[in-house]
Amino acid sequence: MARIVMKFGGTSVADIDRIHNVARHVKRETDAGHEVAVVVSAMSGKTNELVGWAQAMPRATGAESPFFDAREYDAIVASGEQVTSGLLAIALQSMGVDARSWQGWQIPIRTDNAHGAARIEDIDGSEIVRRMGTGQVAVVAGFQGIGPDNRIATLGRGGSDTSAVAVAAAVKADRCDIYTDVDGVYTTDPRIEPKARRLPKISFEEMLEMASLGAKVLQVRSVELAMVHKVRTFVRSSFEDPDAPGMGDFDNPPGTLICDEDEIVEQQVVTGIAYAKDEAQISLRRVADRPGVSAGIFGPLAEANINVDMIVQNISEDGSRTDMTFTVPSGDLEKAVSVLEKVRETIGFDAIQSEAGLVKVSVIGIGMRSHAGVAAIAFKALAEKGINIRAITTSEIKISILIDGPYAELAVRTLHSVYGLDKQ
Amino acid sequence: MARIVMKFGGTSVADIDRIHNVARHVKRETDAGHEVAVVVSAMSGKTNELVGWAQAMPRATGAESPFFDAREYDAIVASGEQVTSGLLAIALQSMGVDARSWQGWQIPIRTDNAHGAARIEDIDGSEIVRRMGTGQVAVVAGFQGIGPDNRIATLGRGGSDTSAVAVAAAVKADRCDIYTDVDGVYTTDPRIEPKARRLPKISFEEMLEMASLGAKVLQVRSVELAMVHKVRTFVRSSFEDPDAPGMGDFDNPPGTLICDEDEIVEQQVVTGIAYAKDEAQISLRRVADRPGVSAGIFGPLAEANINVDMIVQNISEDGSRTDMTFTVPSGDLEKAVSVLEKVRETIGFDAIQSEAGLVKVSVIGIGMRSHAGVAAIAFKALAEKGINIRAITTSEIKISILIDGPYAELAVRTLHSVYGLDKQ
């Protein structure tokens, strides 16, 4: 007997029939004797509808400012998960499974006061654990908690993953199963490389790089939280038949386990290839090379809420001037250039060059730490395909390479193959 | 300066534009210097959608029983008011009015444990009153509170009227303004009698009779509560332009005041004519006339949840047998007859006769207490029109007459005229 937290996202609870399907997944686990808490998102589309209303309201009044009170936004938007939690509890009860819904304020899930993007500070899991002992399933409304002001606080989009991991940590669950519309984490995007394989296991650190680099399986924050609290997190499909062979195999179900690297016996050098499209590159030519110049460039960009990613700095020949290259999301390029033009005098540079529509391809693997030459293999492979490398950044477990947009798929497939990821 | 509770129902908050209109009504009152709390329903249609899902869920699982946990139903359905309260708070803020939403559990509005049809037991109005003093508008989610089990409890359909009156009592409001889709209480239904006039005032007792007899302006429970706590309640239109002349006249706005009879200086003998369609009559012929026979008849009907209304008993010629006639809603007729057939032996009667599609017309007026002959006027007027009277019941302030369905409109117009209600 184990204790499991099961999380179901918006597409998995999109309508009455799909909620019934979720209830079947839950019943399979309770029938097997496991203690279960479930975390649910809003029915897909509902959150967008509610957010749309909250945003439309100031405009409808003719207000000059489009801003709204984040505390009211939270009260409005959190209602979506409230509905799903009640419906799933009813579904489970109808199938003979004891269940009750829990809103964030009832447990309580205590958050900080950052309404709209709150962080969970504490969860009192005692009552849920006590009831699990009697066989009752807790159906927890995801994405929400209660702030120090005694008002509903939401965790930001995708926050239900974070809720699930936090609840799993609070009730000391053996595993947190994230049911989603994909059946696991792959070596790369299968839509680009059909030979991509599902990983049976991936370490927290690697998953963090995969998640933040554009593999949209899990929220980055939820992986961070899982890593900190060592919550074994399992990504699996909610769309498979709940009673298909193997689905109820607790020790070896279909999906990908995100876990501590110690648990991964046969460590691969490279685990996966991720990519992020719509990157833009900005180069500042002949920047005065003196202390404080980086702050002069990146301070104003941060203030304008522009997320700067890869940064490469080359010393110029005479050593007094430097070229500074970095990337921003393509959508922010125009704003970034205009911000930089304004501080041109203060910083002192000759020219701004920019290009949008680029792609960042990343090679990820915890084994890189102990293997040399991993990067060289990538550079050679891309060169052989005639793919020009615009910039490179590296970390302990990842190499990121900026290339021209049209080469994205070719680069992903080339790297996937050169590291042997397409072989069992 | 006064303290006002303003209540807006589902059609008044049906969409973003209508919520803006509601905010304009509220701003008019705060601009005039009044302290304001607002109680809102769910956007019209939303409650039905949520109820539909809750009811569909057990069926979708293939459960034999269509029943669902009323506590989960409450969590689901109460989300509708939660959304409206947040949206109205945003609208007010956008118009420069300080406002915040309050869910039932935040105030708290404490109820009993009868989920789905809970009664309000206590409201702590202190924090709302304190904030009113600083100019903040409280936007309260209607229809809901929190039960002794710390779970959301709803008050049953139309419960937002009750919420509003209860909040008004808790904050000691000078008046509770119920904004609705009609502009007041009329002497009778204007769709039947175009000469119907809007009453400037009506007593709690009369309104109670009007409400329970089918004038669908206010929930019966809210009027009872207003009478007990002496909450002056004002029925007015939410569809008029918030800035139309007279709308902001606190002492004499357009609408109908429901108040203590002491406040009504010129008491009319008859205040209004109400009617209720789809009544059915059941007559039991030659019932054994002995102690306990009424309990034998009406006990089983009550157990079957059938609402018995008018009851008339005639002694038969020899005194040993009696005829018993009463009415039930037409929709319950078949069930009622089947219940009575089952207890036929125990009760002892010769025959059941029944007829559906009847109408109950009622003459209401607090002045009847001190005026004789009011009933005789009605009987004579109906007789002159050839309308057959099937049954009569009377109370201190009302006469109810059961007639055949097709005569409903004629009877209403006849009585409206004979008591001079169509004259100013």
Side-chain angles (χ1 to χ4, degrees), chain A residues 16 20 46 57-58 60-61 63 69 72 75-76 79 82-83 86-87 89 93-94 100-101 105-106 150-152, chain B residues 16 20 53 57-58 60-61 63 69 72 75-76 79 82-83 86-87 89 93-94 100-101 105-106 150-152:
Chain A
I16 295 296
H20 174 215
K46 279 291 146 190
M57 201 67 252
T61 64
D69 186 338
E72 301 302 347
I76 294 164
S79 68
Q82 182 169 327
V83 171
L87 290 173
Q93 291 174 3
S94 303
R100 78 154 271 190
S101 66
W105 56 269
Q106 286 172 327
N150 202 33
R151 298 179 72 172
I152 297 169
Chain B
I16 296 295
H20 174 214
W53 286 338
M57 201 67 252
T61 64
D69 186 337
E72 301 302 346
I76 294 164
S79 67
Q82 181 170 327
V83 171
L87 290 174
Q93 291 173 3
S94 303
R100 78 155 272 190
S101 66
W105 56 269
Q106 288 173 325
N150 202 32
R151 298 181 71 174
I152 296 170

CSV table of all heavy atoms in Angstrom, one decimal, chain A residues 16 20 46 57-58 60-61 63 69 72 75-76 79 82-83 86-87 89 93-94 100-101 105-106 150-152, chain B residues 16 20 53 57-58 60-61 63 69 72 75-76 79 82-83 86-87 89 93-94 100-101 105-106 150-152:
chain,number,residue,atom,x,y,z
A,16,ILE,N,-17.9,16.5,-18.5
A,16,ILE,CA,-18.5,15.5,-17.5
A,16,ILE,C,-17.9,14.1,-17.8
A,16,ILE,O,-17.5,13.4,-16.9
A,16,ILE,CB,-20.0,15.5,-17.6
A,16,ILE,CG1,-20.6,16.9,-17.2
A,16,ILE,CG2,-20.6,14.4,-16.8
A,16,ILE,CD1,-20.3,17.2,-15.7
A,20,HIS,N,-15.5,11.8,-15.4
A,20,HIS,CA,-15.8,10.4,-15.1
A,20,HIS,C,-14.5,9.5,-15.3
A,20,HIS,O,-14.2,8.6,-14.5
A,20,HIS,CB,-16.9,9.9,-15.9
A,20,HIS,CG,-17.2,8.4,-15.8
A,20,HIS,ND1,-17.7,7.6,-16.8
A,20,HIS,CD2,-17.1,7.6,-14.7
A,20,HIS,CE1,-17.8,6.4,-16.4
A,20,HIS,NE2,-17.5,6.3,-15.1
A,46,LYS,N,-12.3,27.2,-19.1
A,46,LYS,CA,-13.0,27.9,-18.0
A,46,LYS,C,-12.1,29.1,-17.5
A,46,LYS,O,-12.5,30.2,-17.3
A,46,LYS,CB,-13.4,27.0,-16.9
A,46,LYS,CG,-14.6,26.3,-17.1
A,46,LYS,CD,-15.8,27.2,-17.1
A,46,LYS,CE,-16.9,26.7,-18.1
A,46,LYS,NZ,-18.0,27.6,-18.3
A,57,MET,N,-13.6,43.8,-17.6
A,57,MET,CA,-14.4,44.7,-16.7
A,57,MET,C,-13.9,46.1,-16.7
A,57,MET,O,-14.7,47.0,-16.8
A,57,MET,CB,-14.4,44.0,-15.3
A,57,MET,CG,-15.5,44.4,-14.4
A,57,MET,SD,-17.2,43.9,-14.9
A,57,MET,CE,-17.9,45.5,-15.5
A,58,PRO,N,-12.6,46.4,-16.5
A,58,PRO,CA,-12.1,47.8,-16.4
A,58,PRO,C,-12.5,48.5,-17.7
A,58,PRO,O,-12.9,49.7,-17.7
A,58,PRO,CB,-10.6,47.7,-16.2
A,58,PRO,CG,-10.4,46.3,-15.6
A,58,PRO,CD,-11.4,45.5,-16.2
A,60,ALA,N,-14.9,47.9,-19.8
A,60,ALA,CA,-16.3,48.2,-19.9
A,60,ALA,C,-16.8,49.4,-19.2
A,60,ALA,O,-17.7,50.1,-19.5
A,60,ALA,CB,-17.1,46.9,-19.4
A,61,THR,N,-16.0,49.8,-18.1
A,61,THR,CA,-16.4,50.9,-17.3
A,61,THR,C,-15.8,52.2,-17.9
A,61,THR,O,-16.1,53.3,-17.4
A,61,THR,CB,-15.9,50.8,-15.9
A,61,THR,OG1,-14.4,50.8,-15.9
A,61,THR,CG2,-16.3,49.6,-15.2
A,63,ALA,N,-12.7,52.9,-18.0
A,63,ALA,CA,-11.5,53.3,-17.2
A,63,ALA,C,-10.3,53.5,-18.1
A,63,ALA,O,-10.2,52.8,-19.1
A,63,ALA,CB,-11.3,52.2,-16.1
A,69,ASP,N,-7.6,44.7,-9.6
A,69,ASP,CA,-7.2,44.2,-8.3
A,69,ASP,C,-6.9,42.7,-8.4
A,69,ASP,O,-7.8,41.9,-8.6
A,69,ASP,CB,-8.3,44.5,-7.3
A,69,ASP,CG,-7.9,44.2,-5.9
A,69,ASP,OD1,-7.0,43.4,-5.6
A,69,ASP,OD2,-8.5,44.8,-5.0
A,72,GLU,N,-9.1,40.4,-6.4
A,72,GLU,CA,-10.4,40.1,-7.0
A,72,GLU,C,-10.3,39.2,-8.2
A,72,GLU,O,-11.1,38.2,-8.4
A,72,GLU,CB,-11.1,41.4,-7.5
A,72,GLU,CG,-11.4,42.5,-6.4
A,72,GLU,CD,-12.2,41.9,-5.3
A,72,GLU,OE1,-12.8,40.9,-5.4
A,72,GLU,OE2,-12.3,42.6,-4.2
A,75,ALA,N,-10.2,35.8,-6.7
A,75,ALA,CA,-11.5,35.3,-6.3
A,75,ALA,C,-12.3,34.7,-7.5
A,75,ALA,O,-12.9,33.7,-7.4
A,75,ALA,CB,-12.3,36.4,-5.5
A,76,ILE,N,-12.2,35.5,-8.6
A,76,ILE,CA,-12.9,35.1,-9.8
A,76,ILE,C,-12.3,33.8,-10.4
A,76,ILE,O,-13.0,32.8,-10.6
A,76,ILE,CB,-12.8,36.2,-10.8
A,76,ILE,CG1,-13.5,37.5,-10.3
A,76,ILE,CG2,-13.3,35.8,-12.2
A,76,ILE,CD1,-13.2,38.8,-11.1
A,79,SER,N,-12.5,30.1,-8.9
A,79,SER,CA,-13.8,29.4,-8.9
A,79,SER,C,-13.8,28.3,-9.9
A,79,SER,O,-14.5,27.3,-9.7
A,79,SER,CB,-14.9,30.4,-9.3
A,79,SER,OG,-14.8,30.8,-10.6
A,82,GLN,N,-12.7,25.2,-8.1
A,82,GLN,CA,-13.7,24.9,-7.1
A,82,GLN,C,-14.8,24.0,-7.7
A,82,GLN,O,-15.2,23.0,-7.1
A,82,GLN,CB,-14.3,26.2,-6.5
A,82,GLN,CG,-15.3,26.0,-5.5
A,82,GLN,CD,-15.7,27.4,-4.8
A,82,GLN,OE1,-14.8,28.2,-4.7
A,82,GLN,NE2,-16.9,27.5,-4.4
A,83,VAL,N,-15.2,24.3,-8.9
A,83,VAL,CA,-16.2,23.6,-9.6
A,83,VAL,C,-15.7,22.2,-9.9
A,83,VAL,O,-16.4,21.2,-9.6
A,83,VAL,CB,-16.6,24.3,-10.9
A,83,VAL,CG1,-17.5,23.4,-11.8
A,83,VAL,CG2,-17.3,25.6,-10.6
A,86,GLY,N,-15.6,19.8,-6.8
A,86,GLY,CA,-16.9,19.3,-6.4
A,86,GLY,C,-17.4,18.2,-7.4
A,86,GLY,O,-17.9,17.2,-6.9
A,87,LEU,N,-17.2,18.5,-8.7
A,87,LEU,CA,-17.7,17.5,-9.7
A,87,LEU,C,-17.0,16.2,-9.5
A,87,LEU,O,-17.6,15.1,-9.6
A,87,LEU,CB,-17.6,18.1,-11.1
A,87,LEU,CG,-18.5,19.2,-11.4
A,87,LEU,CD1,-18.2,19.8,-12.8
A,87,LEU,CD2,-20.0,18.7,-11.4
A,89,ALA,N,-15.6,15.0,-6.9
A,89,ALA,CA,-16.0,14.3,-5.6
A,89,ALA,C,-17.3,13.6,-5.8
A,89,ALA,O,-17.5,12.5,-5.4
A,89,ALA,CB,-16.1,15.3,-4.5
A,93,GLN,N,-18.0,9.6,-5.5
A,93,GLN,CA,-19.0,9.0,-4.6
A,93,GLN,C,-20.0,8.2,-5.4
A,93,GLN,O,-20.4,7.1,-4.9
A,93,GLN,CB,-19.8,10.2,-3.9
A,93,GLN,CG,-18.9,11.0,-2.9
A,93,GLN,CD,-19.6,12.2,-2.4
A,93,GLN,OE1,-20.8,12.5,-2.7
A,93,GLN,NE2,-19.0,13.0,-1.6
A,94,SER,N,-20.4,8.6,-6.6
A,94,SER,CA,-21.3,7.8,-7.4
A,94,SER,C,-20.7,6.4,-7.7
A,94,SER,O,-21.5,5.5,-8.0
A,94,SER,CB,-21.6,8.6,-8.7
A,94,SER,OG,-22.1,9.8,-8.4
A,100,ARG,N,-14.1,13.7,-0.7
A,100,ARG,CA,-14.7,15.1,-0.5
A,100,ARG,C,-13.7,16.1,-1.1
A,100,ARG,O,-12.5,15.9,-1.2
A,100,ARG,CB,-14.9,15.4,1.0
A,100,ARG,CG,-13.7,15.8,1.8
A,100,ARG,CD,-14.1,16.7,3.0
A,100,ARG,NE,-14.0,18.1,2.6
A,100,ARG,CZ,-14.1,19.1,3.5
A,100,ARG,NH1,-14.2,18.8,4.8
A,100,ARG,NH2,-14.0,20.3,3.1
A,101,SER,N,-14.3,17.2,-1.5
A,101,SER,CA,-13.5,18.3,-2.1
A,101,SER,C,-12.9,19.2,-1.0
A,101,SER,O,-13.5,19.3,0.1
A,101,SER,CB,-14.4,19.2,-3.0
A,101,SER,OG,-15.4,19.9,-2.2
A,105,TRP,N,-8.6,27.3,1.0
A,105,TRP,CA,-8.8,28.0,2.3
A,105,TRP,C,-9.2,27.0,3.3
A,105,TRP,O,-9.2,27.3,4.5
A,105,TRP,CB,-9.7,29.1,2.2
A,105,TRP,CG,-11.1,28.8,1.6
A,105,TRP,CD1,-11.4,28.9,0.3
A,105,TRP,CD2,-12.2,28.4,2.3
A,105,TRP,NE1,-12.7,28.5,0.1
A,105,TRP,CE2,-13.3,28.3,1.3
A,105,TRP,CE3,-12.5,28.2,3.6
A,105,TRP,CZ2,-14.6,27.9,1.7
A,105,TRP,CZ3,-13.8,27.8,4.0
A,105,TRP,CH2,-14.8,27.6,3.0
A,106,GLN,N,-9.7,25.8,2.9
A,106,GLN,CA,-10.2,24.8,3.8
A,106,GLN,C,-9.1,24.0,4.4
A,106,GLN,O,-9.2,23.5,5.6
A,106,GLN,CB,-11.3,24.0,3.2
A,106,GLN,CG,-12.6,24.7,3.0
A,106,GLN,CD,-13.6,23.9,2.2
A,106,GLN,OE1,-13.3,23.1,1.3
A,106,GLN,NE2,-14.9,24.1,2.5
A,150,ASN,N,-6.3,36.5,4.4
A,150,ASN,CA,-7.5,35.7,4.5
A,150,ASN,C,-8.3,35.7,3.2
A,150,ASN,O,-9.5,35.5,3.2
A,150,ASN,CB,-8.4,36.1,5.7
A,150,ASN,CG,-9.3,35.0,6.1
A,150,ASN,OD1,-9.0,33.8,6.0
A,150,ASN,ND2,-10.5,35.4,6.5
A,151,ARG,N,-7.6,36.0,2.1
A,151,ARG,CA,-8.3,36.0,0.8
A,151,ARG,C,-7.7,35.0,-0.1
A,151,ARG,O,-6.5,34.6,0.1
A,151,ARG,CB,-8.3,37.4,0.2
A,151,ARG,CG,-9.0,38.4,1.1
A,151,ARG,CD,-8.9,39.8,0.5
A,151,ARG,NE,-9.8,39.9,-0.7
A,151,ARG,CZ,-10.0,41.1,-1.3
A,151,ARG,NH1,-9.5,42.2,-0.8
A,151,ARG,NH2,-10.8,41.2,-2.3
A,152,ILE,N,-8.5,34.5,-1.1
A,152,ILE,CA,-8.0,33.5,-2.0
A,152,ILE,C,-6.8,34.0,-2.8
A,152,ILE,O,-6.8,35.2,-3.3
A,152,ILE,CB,-9.1,33.1,-3.0
A,152,ILE,CG1,-10.3,32.4,-2.2
A,152,ILE,CG2,-8.6,32.1,-4.1
A,152,ILE,CD1,-11.5,32.2,-3.1
B,16,ILE,N,-20.9,41.5,-18.7
B,16,ILE,CA,-20.0,42.6,-18.3
B,16,ILE,C,-20.7,44.0,-18.4
B,16,ILE,O,-20.5,44.8,-17.4
B,16,ILE,CB,-18.8,42.6,-19.3
B,16,ILE,CG1,-18.0,41.2,-19.1
B,16,ILE,CG2,-17.8,43.7,-19.0
B,16,ILE,CD1,-17.4,41.0,-17.7
B,20,HIS,N,-21.5,46.6,-15.2
B,20,HIS,CA,-21.1,48.0,-15.2
B,20,HIS,C,-22.2,48.9,-14.8
B,20,HIS,O,-22.1,49.8,-14.1
B,20,HIS,CB,-20.5,48.4,-16.6
B,20,HIS,CG,-20.3,49.8,-16.8
B,20,HIS,ND1,-20.4,50.5,-18.0
B,20,HIS,CD2,-19.8,50.7,-15.9
B,20,HIS,CE1,-20.1,51.8,-17.8
B,20,HIS,NE2,-19.7,52.0,-16.5
B,53,TRP,N,-24.4,20.4,-14.4
B,53,TRP,CA,-23.2,19.6,-14.3
B,53,TRP,C,-23.3,18.7,-13.0
B,53,TRP,O,-23.0,17.5,-13.1
B,53,TRP,CB,-22.0,20.4,-14.2
B,53,TRP,CG,-21.6,21.1,-15.5
B,53,TRP,CD1,-21.9,20.6,-16.7
B,53,TRP,CD2,-20.7,22.2,-15.7
B,53,TRP,NE1,-21.4,21.5,-17.7
B,53,TRP,CE2,-20.6,22.4,-17.0
B,53,TRP,CE3,-20.1,23.1,-14.8
B,53,TRP,CZ2,-19.9,23.5,-17.6
B,53,TRP,CZ3,-19.3,24.1,-15.3
B,53,TRP,CH2,-19.2,24.3,-16.7
B,57,MET,N,-23.4,14.5,-13.3
B,57,MET,CA,-22.2,13.7,-12.9
B,57,MET,C,-22.6,12.3,-12.5
B,57,MET,O,-21.9,11.3,-13.0
B,57,MET,CB,-21.5,14.5,-11.8
B,57,MET,CG,-20.0,14.1,-11.7
B,57,MET,SD,-18.9,14.6,-13.1
B,57,MET,CE,-18.6,12.9,-13.8
B,58,PRO,N,-23.6,12.1,-11.6
B,58,PRO,CA,-23.8,10.7,-11.2
B,58,PRO,C,-24.3,9.9,-12.4
B,58,PRO,O,-23.9,8.7,-12.5
B,58,PRO,CB,-25.0,10.8,-10.2
B,58,PRO,CG,-24.9,12.2,-9.7
B,58,PRO,CD,-24.4,13.0,-10.9
B,60,ALA,N,-23.4,10.2,-15.5
B,60,ALA,CA,-22.3,9.9,-16.4
B,60,ALA,C,-21.5,8.7,-15.9
B,60,ALA,O,-20.8,8.0,-16.7
B,60,ALA,CB,-21.4,11.1,-16.5
B,61,THR,N,-21.5,8.5,-14.6
B,61,THR,CA,-20.7,7.4,-14.0
B,61,THR,C,-21.5,6.1,-14.1
B,61,THR,O,-21.0,5.0,-13.7
B,61,THR,CB,-20.4,7.6,-12.5
B,61,THR,OG1,-21.6,7.6,-11.8
B,61,THR,CG2,-19.6,8.9,-12.3
B,63,ALA,N,-24.1,5.5,-12.4
B,63,ALA,CA,-24.6,5.2,-11.0
B,63,ALA,C,-26.1,4.9,-11.1
B,63,ALA,O,-26.8,5.5,-11.9
B,63,ALA,CB,-24.3,6.3,-10.1
B,69,ASP,N,-24.0,14.5,-3.3
B,69,ASP,CA,-23.7,15.0,-2.0
B,69,ASP,C,-24.0,16.5,-2.0
B,69,ASP,O,-23.4,17.3,-2.8
B,69,ASP,CB,-22.2,14.8,-1.8
B,69,ASP,CG,-21.7,15.2,-0.4
B,69,ASP,OD1,-22.4,16.1,0.2
B,69,ASP,OD2,-20.7,14.7,0.1
B,72,GLU,N,-21.1,19.0,-1.8
B,72,GLU,CA,-20.3,19.2,-3.1
B,72,GLU,C,-21.1,20.1,-4.0
B,72,GLU,O,-20.6,20.9,-4.7
B,72,GLU,CB,-20.0,17.8,-3.8
B,72,GLU,CG,-19.2,16.9,-2.9
B,72,GLU,CD,-17.8,17.5,-2.4
B,72,GLU,OE1,-17.4,18.5,-3.0
B,72,GLU,OE2,-17.2,16.9,-1.5
B,75,ALA,N,-20.5,23.6,-3.0
B,75,ALA,CA,-19.2,24.1,-3.4
B,75,ALA,C,-19.2,24.4,-4.9
B,75,ALA,O,-18.6,25.5,-5.3
B,75,ALA,CB,-18.1,23.0,-3.2
B,76,ILE,N,-19.9,23.6,-5.7
B,76,ILE,CA,-19.9,23.9,-7.2
B,76,ILE,C,-20.8,25.1,-7.5
B,76,ILE,O,-20.3,26.0,-8.1
B,76,ILE,CB,-20.5,22.6,-7.9
B,76,ILE,CG1,-19.6,21.4,-7.7
B,76,ILE,CG2,-20.8,23.0,-9.3
B,76,ILE,CD1,-20.3,20.1,-8.1
B,79,SER,N,-19.9,28.9,-6.6
B,79,SER,CA,-18.8,29.6,-7.4
B,79,SER,C,-19.4,30.7,-8.3
B,79,SER,O,-18.7,31.6,-8.6
B,79,SER,CB,-18.1,28.5,-8.2
B,79,SER,OG,-18.9,28.0,-9.2
B,82,GLN,N,-19.4,33.9,-6.5
B,82,GLN,CA,-18.0,34.3,-6.2
B,82,GLN,C,-17.5,35.1,-7.4
B,82,GLN,O,-16.9,36.1,-7.2
B,82,GLN,CB,-17.2,33.0,-6.0
B,82,GLN,CG,-15.7,33.2,-5.7
B,82,GLN,CD,-15.0,32.0,-5.2
B,82,GLN,OE1,-15.7,31.1,-4.6
B,82,GLN,NE2,-13.8,31.8,-5.6
B,83,VAL,N,-17.8,34.6,-8.6
B,83,VAL,CA,-17.3,35.3,-9.8
B,83,VAL,C,-17.9,36.7,-9.9
B,83,VAL,O,-17.2,37.7,-10.1
B,83,VAL,CB,-17.7,34.5,-11.1
B,83,VAL,CG1,-17.4,35.2,-12.3
B,83,VAL,CG2,-16.9,33.1,-11.1
B,86,GLY,N,-16.5,39.3,-7.5
B,86,GLY,CA,-15.2,39.8,-7.9
B,86,GLY,C,-15.3,40.8,-9.1
B,86,GLY,O,-14.6,41.8,-9.1
B,87,LEU,N,-16.1,40.4,-10.0
B,87,LEU,CA,-16.2,41.3,-11.2
B,87,LEU,C,-16.8,42.7,-10.8
B,87,LEU,O,-16.4,43.7,-11.3
B,87,LEU,CB,-17.1,40.6,-12.3
B,87,LEU,CG,-16.5,39.4,-13.0
B,87,LEU,CD1,-17.5,38.8,-13.9
B,87,LEU,CD2,-15.3,39.8,-13.8
B,89,ALA,N,-16.6,44.1,-7.9
B,89,ALA,CA,-15.6,44.9,-7.2
B,89,ALA,C,-14.6,45.5,-8.1
B,89,ALA,O,-14.2,46.7,-8.0
B,89,ALA,CB,-14.8,43.9,-6.2
B,93,GLN,N,-13.9,49.6,-8.6
B,93,GLN,CA,-12.6,50.1,-8.4
B,93,GLN,C,-12.2,50.9,-9.7
B,93,GLN,O,-11.6,52.0,-9.6
B,93,GLN,CB,-11.6,49.0,-8.2
B,93,GLN,CG,-11.7,48.4,-6.8
B,93,GLN,CD,-10.8,47.1,-6.7
B,93,GLN,OE1,-10.0,46.8,-7.6
B,93,GLN,NE2,-10.9,46.5,-5.5
B,94,SER,N,-12.6,50.4,-10.9
B,94,SER,CA,-12.3,51.0,-12.1
B,94,SER,C,-12.9,52.4,-12.2
B,94,SER,O,-12.5,53.3,-12.9
B,94,SER,CB,-12.7,50.2,-13.3
B,94,SER,OG,-12.1,48.9,-13.3
B,100,ARG,N,-14.4,45.9,-2.1
B,100,ARG,CA,-13.9,44.5,-2.1
B,100,ARG,C,-14.9,43.5,-2.0
B,100,ARG,O,-16.0,43.7,-1.5
B,100,ARG,CB,-12.8,44.3,-1.0
B,100,ARG,CG,-13.4,44.1,0.4
B,100,ARG,CD,-12.4,43.3,1.3
B,100,ARG,NE,-12.6,41.9,1.1
B,100,ARG,CZ,-12.1,40.9,1.9
B,100,ARG,NH1,-11.3,41.3,2.9
B,100,ARG,NH2,-12.3,39.7,1.7
B,101,SER,N,-14.6,42.3,-2.6
B,101,SER,CA,-15.6,41.2,-2.6
B,101,SER,C,-15.5,40.5,-1.2
B,101,SER,O,-14.4,40.4,-0.6
B,101,SER,CB,-15.3,40.3,-3.7
B,101,SER,OG,-14.1,39.6,-3.5
B,105,TRP,N,-17.9,32.7,3.5
B,105,TRP,CA,-17.0,32.1,4.5
B,105,TRP,C,-16.0,33.2,5.0
B,105,TRP,O,-15.4,33.0,6.1
B,105,TRP,CB,-16.2,30.9,4.0
B,105,TRP,CG,-15.4,31.1,2.8
B,105,TRP,CD1,-15.8,30.9,1.5
B,105,TRP,CD2,-14.0,31.6,2.7
B,105,TRP,NE1,-14.8,31.2,0.6
B,105,TRP,CE2,-13.7,31.6,1.3
B,105,TRP,CE3,-13.1,32.0,3.6
B,105,TRP,CZ2,-12.4,32.0,0.8
B,105,TRP,CZ3,-11.8,32.4,3.2
B,105,TRP,CH2,-11.5,32.4,1.8
B,106,GLN,N,-15.9,34.3,4.3
B,106,GLN,CA,-14.9,35.3,4.8
B,106,GLN,C,-15.6,36.3,5.8
B,106,GLN,O,-14.8,36.8,6.6
B,106,GLN,CB,-14.4,36.1,3.6
B,106,GLN,CG,-13.4,35.3,2.7
B,106,GLN,CD,-13.1,36.0,1.4
B,106,GLN,OE1,-13.9,36.7,0.8
B,106,GLN,NE2,-11.8,35.8,1.0
B,150,ASN,N,-17.6,23.8,8.4
B,150,ASN,CA,-16.6,24.6,7.7
B,150,ASN,C,-16.6,24.5,6.2
B,150,ASN,O,-15.6,24.7,5.5
B,150,ASN,CB,-15.2,24.3,8.3
B,150,ASN,CG,-14.2,25.4,8.0
B,150,ASN,OD1,-14.6,26.6,8.0
B,150,ASN,ND2,-12.9,25.1,7.8
B,151,ARG,N,-17.8,24.1,5.7
B,151,ARG,CA,-17.9,24.0,4.2
B,151,ARG,C,-19.0,25.0,3.7
B,151,ARG,O,-19.9,25.4,4.5
B,151,ARG,CB,-18.3,22.5,3.9
B,151,ARG,CG,-17.2,21.6,4.3
B,151,ARG,CD,-17.5,20.2,4.0
B,151,ARG,NE,-17.4,19.9,2.6
B,151,ARG,CZ,-17.5,18.7,2.0
B,151,ARG,NH1,-17.7,17.6,2.8
B,151,ARG,NH2,-17.4,18.5,0.7
B,152,ILE,N,-18.9,25.3,2.5
B,152,ILE,CA,-19.8,26.3,1.9
B,152,ILE,C,-21.2,25.7,1.9
B,152,ILE,O,-21.4,24.5,1.6
B,152,ILE,CB,-19.4,26.6,0.4
B,152,ILE,CG1,-18.0,27.3,0.4
B,152,ILE,CG2,-20.5,27.5,-0.3
B,152,ILE,CD1,-17.5,27.4,-1.0
